[in-house]
Amino acid sequence: MSLLESLIYGFISGVAEFLPISSHGHQALLRYIFGEATRNSLQELLVHIGLFFAILAGCREVLFRLRREQMAGTTRRRRGKHAFDTQSYYDLRLIKTAIAPLIIGLFLTILTAKLENNLIAVMCFLAINAFVLLLAEHSRHGNRDARTMSGLDGFMMGLLGAFSAFPGISRTGMISSYATMRAADSDNACNWAFLLGIPATLFAVCYDIFGIIISGVGEISFVNFIGFLLSGITAFCGGYFGISVFRTALKHSGFSRFAYYSIGAAIFSFILYLIT
């Protein structure tokens, strides 16, 4: 990729990661447009590192609240006290319940790698993503938080988030859609989707490192390396931007715009397939 292509690749990867439109699917389309036959593990590693820091920056207030409750909980157990921040306690419990099915499911990435180069597959998964978003848009909306969600809800969020291994399915979209259909309010739906991005992104980092160890990174020029660094930096910028946009959009306009965008991206994928 050229430097400009690397900038675009990183920024769109970041934005699409935290909007419910599938970063994985957009990366596949961009590589196809830029004439890149395969993903470069080093570039993907730097993009995922950028996304990880975007979550830390974009969710710092929520992370600080949860960290404070976790530390306080340790102190309470040691001293035999039981008072706690109820919302943070149940948020932590819900997230912990979702992590195992999320990570186990993400091993699908190994099995679905070849689908990235199949435009028809990308089109179909983008269409499925749009369908789920439309279901959430027309479902009941409520104001539930983690205190009234069950362990099964956490498991389902993790399991559905794992389907982001398929190019075109958005982890943010699956988790926030399920939470919305279960009558969670928009802030909590966003927070759970973003927080589950932390273990998912760390899994992706480990996957990329494993790919580098097994296959190497090939011959990389200085310009290419600078381009990869730019991809990581712009992924951070795009991710931070995407987090802010989705929080506002979900509260005021719901999922419909993202659903229609996903339909448009699916049609674009099909057009690419026809002309190439």
Side-chain angles (χ1 to χ4, degrees):
M1 295 184 189
S2 68
L3 292 180
L4 178 60
E5 290 171 345
S6 296
L7 283 167
I8 294 171
Y9 184 83
F11 185 78
I12 292 181
S13 295
V15 172
E17 180 72 17
F18 300 110
L19 296 181
I21 55 176
S22 177
S23 178
H24 198 179
H26 280 71
Q27 288 175 337
L29 290 175
L30 286 173
R31 284 196 297 271
Y32 197 90
I33 293 170
F34 295 156
E36 299 291 330
T38 58
R39 66 199 298 272
N40 185 285
S41 294
L42 178 58
Q43 184 179 31
E44 296 300 319
L45 173 63
L46 294 172
V47 166
H48 288 132
I49 290 173
L51 295 176
F52 176 75
F53 282 105
I55 302 173
L56 298 185
C59 300
R60 58 189 180 279
E61 294 181 4
V62 178
L63 288 168
F64 177 77
R65 171 171 62 83
L66 296 180
R67 178 59 178 166
R68 183 177 57 195
E69 166 55 28
Q70 188 177 43
M71 294 177 66
T74 302
T75 302
R76 286 195 303 271
R77 287 191 294 272
R78 188 166 56 244
R79 297 179 179 178
K81 297 181 179 180
H82 301 286
F84 54 86
D85 175 357
T86 308
Q87 182 177 353
S88 296
Y89 173 83
Y90 283 98
D91 277 335
L92 281 168
R93 193 177 73 167
L94 188 70
I95 295 300
K96 290 176 181 178
T97 305
I99 287 176
L102 175 67
I103 297 301
I104 293 172
L106 284 176
F107 279 97
L108 285 170
T109 303
I110 300 171
L111 303 176
T112 60
K114 292 183 179 180
L115 293 177
E116 296 178 357
N117 298 322
N118 188 325
L119 289 176
I120 294 298
V122 173
M123 177 196 72
C124 292
F125 290 125
L126 283 168
I128 293 170
N129 189 69
F131 175 74
V132 173
L133 295 179
L134 287 174
L135 280 180
E137 178 65 23
H138 293 93
S139 68
R140 57 177 182 157
H141 290 213
N143 59 358
R144 295 179 67 187
D145 58 32
R147 290 172 289 190
T148 57
M149 303 291 278
S150 68
L152 178 61
D153 289 320
F155 178 86
M156 287 301 298
M157 283 192 284
L159 182 63
L160 291 170
F163 283 97
S164 61
F166 294 97
I169 302 293
S170 166
R171 183 187 64 254
T172 299
M174 294 298 105
I175 295 171
S176 58
S177 292
Y178 177 83
T180 299
M181 287 187 274
R182 292 288 292 148
D185 67 22
S186 61
D187 286 337
N188 283 309
C190 286
N191 286 337
W192 299 334
F194 296 151
L195 291 173
L196 284 170
I198 294 176
T201 305
L202 289 176
F203 173 87
V205 167
C206 294
Y207 180 79
D208 295 331
I209 292 173
F210 180 76
I212 291 172
I213 293 172
I214 296 299
S215 304
V217 294
E219 295 184 5
I220 299 177
S221 67
F222 177 75
V223 173
N224 285 337
F225 181 71
I226 295 299
F228 294 167
L229 286 176
L230 289 175
S231 292
I233 294 170
T234 54
F236 169 83
C237 297
Y240 188 84
F241 175 73
I243 289 172
S244 300
V245 168
F246 188 50
R247 285 190 190 281
T248 302
L250 189 57
K251 184 178 295 186
H252 297 290
S253 59
F255 292 98
S256 58
R257 294 180 182 178
F258 302 112
Y260 298 140
Y261 176 88
S262 293
I263 292 172
I267 294 172
F268 177 74
S269 302
F270 184 63
I271 293 173
L272 275 182
Y273 171 77
L274 292 177
I275 64 178
T276 56

